[in-house]
Amino acid sequence: MKFAIIAAGEGSRLANEGVKAPKPLIELQGVPLIERLVRIFARQGADSINIIVNEQQPDTLAHIKKLQGEFPINIVVRSTPSSMHSLHALSHLLRGDRFCLTTVDTLFHEDEFAAYIKAFNESDGDGIMAVTDYIDDEKPLYVDTDTELNITAFCDRATENSRYISGGIYGLSPESLDILDECMSEGIERMRNFQRRLVQSGMKLKAYPFSKIIDIDHAEDIAKAEKFLSER
């Protein structure tokens, strides 16, 4: 399976709050965020790890290049306006196989992630999206499901069918990239709108619950992340 990491954001909120390191190089338990993901993906048998890096972060690029000697990493250097655009910039590296995509600041417990990847490998649908009922997000994307955890909609507001929110971990078939191309050609923006189009196109997506998934948007989130990782 192929894996991908979006690390093309500017991290402006963190910088404005006094965090000196670019987001991908923020250390948790002594390991930079980007390296933590690379090592986890490698332990899951990654055939390739495909990373997009912001043009304005030479330190991040240098760190990833050091990891290339140990791991099967491909790098795209580009600044993009959204995660959806970042995925599109990586898409030529992801075609032909199922892939798992995360943003660089997506934090989860590795045992849950391993079970998720196992479920994805064993599934015959079009994709499995990580979800959680832990909400600590300024603008969560709610996930509507039926009783069998088939995803029926992605919503900006909770509905009676919204047990979970999106966790920012996407396991998708290569056919999803054709739909991504359509979104780009139509001027559609934002990852959540791409996800909506996947459902509207009839793709069979399952929700996979994690106990907790968090991300780092503000300086105060770093301490929360350290505490979260120490829970295992």
Side-chain angles (χ1 to χ4, degrees):
M1 185 193 302
K2 298 179 179 182
F3 288 78
I5 303 171
I6 294 175
E10 296 179 355
S12 56
R13 283 178 293 187
L14 288 166
N16 291 337
E17 293 172 6
V19 178
K20 294 182 180 179
K23 183 183 285 190
L25 298 185
I26 291 174
E27 292 190 1
L28 296 178
Q29 298 182 337
V31 181
L33 288 173
I34 188 74
E35 183 172 339
R36 175 179 182 272
L37 286 176
V38 166
R39 293 187 179 279
I40 289 173
F41 293 167
R43 286 192 285 270
Q44 293 304 312
D47 296 315
S48 65
I49 302 171
N50 306 280
I51 305 173
I52 181 167
V53 184
N54 192 294
E55 294 169 321
Q56 305 304 315
Q57 293 186 3
D59 291 346
T60 299
L61 178 59
H63 190 83
I64 296 171
K65 284 185 174 180
K66 289 180 181 178
L67 296 173
Q68 274 185 311
E70 186 178 354
F71 303 102
I73 294 174
N74 299 312
I75 305 172
V76 172
V77 181
R78 191 177 307 173
S79 300
T80 63
S82 75
S83 293
M84 193 188 89
H85 288 78
S86 293
L87 173 56
H88 191 257
L90 287 170
S91 61
H92 67 286
L93 297 169
L94 302 177
R95 295 188 184 276
D97 195 3
R98 287 182 161 201
F99 63 91
C100 175
L101 167 78
T102 75
T103 53
V104 73
D105 62 337
T106 302
L107 293 174
F108 46 80
H109 289 305
E110 187 172 351
D111 57 341
E112 289 189 315
F113 184 74
Y116 162 81
I117 293 297
K118 183 176 185 291
F120 183 35
N121 281 326
E122 294 175 350
S123 71
D124 56 4
D126 297 310
I128 296 184
M129 310 299 234
V131 298
T132 180
D133 58 7
Y134 175 78
I135 303 176
D136 185 26
D137 195 309
E138 295 171 349
K139 296 181 180 179
L141 178 63
Y142 293 90
V143 182
D144 282 8
T145 63
D146 63 18
T147 56
E148 296 181 345
L149 292 181
N150 296 301
I151 295 175
T152 58
F154 292 97
C155 307
D156 291 328
R157 294 179 177 82
T159 74
E160 62 181 9
N161 297 315
S162 303
R163 294 173 55 193
Y164 304 104
I165 64 169
S166 173
I169 305 172
Y170 317 94
L172 292 168
S173 67
E175 289 76 19
S176 66
L177 298 175
D178 295 331
I179 297 173
L180 177 63
D181 288 342
E182 293 175 6
C183 290
M184 292 292 294
S185 66
E186 295 172 19
I188 293 172
E189 298 183 354
R190 303 189 72 191
M191 183 68 82
R192 61 182 57 194
N193 292 327
F194 165 58
Q195 292 173 252
R196 290 185 175 110
R197 176 60 67 88
L198 293 176
V199 174
Q200 294 164 2
S201 298
M203 296 198 81
K204 297 178 180 178
L205 304 178
K206 283 272 192 180
Y208 187 95
F210 280 58
S211 61
K212 187 186 291 187
I213 299 173
I214 65 175
D215 54 24
I216 297 177
D217 292 320
H218 298 282
E220 64 183 16
D221 295 334
I222 298 174
K224 291 181 184 179
E226 286 278 10
K227 181 180 178 181
F228 169 66
L229 292 182
S230 69
E231 293 171 357
R232 282 290 198 277

